[in-house]
Amino acid sequence: MLTVLGAYSWVNIRFLLEGAWVTILVSVCSIVLSYIFGVILGIVRYVKIKYLSAIVGFIIDIIRNLPLILIIFFTYFGLPHLGFKPDPIWASVIAWRSLKQRWLLKLFEQESRRFRLVKWKGPGPMA
Amino acid sequence: MISIFQNYGGELLTGLGQTLLCSIIALIFALIIGSAFAIMETMPNKAARIIARVYIEVFRNIPLLVITMFFYVVIPMYIVKISGFASGTIGLTLYSSAFIAETVRSGIQSVDPGQMEGARANGLSYWQSMRYIILPQAFRYVIPPLGNQFINLVKNSSVLAFVAGFDLMYQANVIASDSLKSMSTYLCVGLLYLVLTLPLSYYMRHLEKKLA
């Protein structure tokens, strides 16, 4: 038990707090960006533009089925080969964003489908 | 990309096998543990409900990496020596079991309470009505969300890379640092992950449409 308490010495606490700050920063950035991009892509998929929607849907399926760590490693180690070098935090934000937006998108899709159902089927029994 | 498959085929195949093995073991145990806690959470007994609630909330809200690291670093130091693969699988099992418990619980609760009352009125005991009346219906409801949990589990198995579990992601890091072609290596490994998860994903969508 003493070792556990020892872990909370001032020096360690400072490191932990710094880590917590990065966690919060990454989370907030990712949530905001993923929400924006997720809604945009969700609308694109929902309105069924002829080829674009199918392509977007395909890309979404691909990214949704890849592990997050792979996407992060890809953005951090893979993308520099294409001449684009993000620092670690931004790499994870980009990766998180692209992953998260799929989930939001799914959610949005379901919601909009439900909305459509409610809108069109709702008046029937009520009228 | 082709050269990666040619030069490191053996490593990739081992990784694929380890990922698959870990996923299947974790899947079976997570399903058992998760269902047990889901039943506990819907029991009339208050103590059982609290225990299940605490278990689920703890493992649902701690990152998977932290759980796995705990089993990789702390447990071998104080209790018993376990390999990276074992610790990764244990961590994955506990983490997924919390999510599966939540999913199954929602299924049990979506079964009409009249079913339970009817079963009890017909003379079945609590456990009998759970076993023969409630659970079969509950599991039918939760097949699509459970499928999503399984896909997540396969994806989450990439956490084994951090504890030397020799899974696909671990091999990817090894190959990337060996061949210095990180771009094509990660693309290759991504392709192999898609081989595992994409059919499952499409099958679940099909099932969802059929059941809905």
Side-chain angles (χ1 to χ4, degrees), chain B residues 23-43:
Chain B
S23 306
I24 290 172
I25 295 172
L27 184 72
I28 293 168
F29 283 102
L31 204 56
I32 295 170
I33 299 172
S35 310
F37 276 104
I39 293 169
M40 260 173 89
E41 227 198 330
T42 50
M43 250 157 69

Side-chain angles (χ1 to χ4, degrees), chain A residues 3 45 57-58 60-82 99 103 106 109-110 113, chain B residues 65 78 148 151-152 154-156 158-159 161-162 169 172-173 180-184 186-187 189-191 193-194 197-198 201-202 205 208:
Chain A
T3 51
R45 239 197 124 177
F58 182 66
I60 287 162
D61 273 341
I62 298 274
I63 295 200
R64 233 163 65 94
N65 284 305
L66 285 178
L68 170 64
I69 296 168
L70 188 77
I71 301 174
I72 290 180
F73 275 53
F74 183 79
T75 26
Y76 191 56
F77 292 114
L79 285 187
H81 284 253
L82 297 177
L99 190 84
W103 296 345
K106 259 284 162 299
E109 227 180 38
Q110 280 165 4
R113 199 168 292 151
Chain B
L65 195 53
Y78 293 110
N148 283 334
I151 295 167
N152 276 340
V154 175
K155 291 195 301 176
N156 284 338
S158 57
V159 80
F162 291 97
M169 195 62 215
N173 293 341
L180 298 179
K181 290 183 205 149
S182 43
M183 183 89 180
S184 40
Y186 289 124
L187 281 178
V189 171
L191 221 57
Y193 267 111
L194 285 181
T197 52
L198 215 50
S201 175
Y202 280 119
R205 194 170 298 173
E208 211 168 323

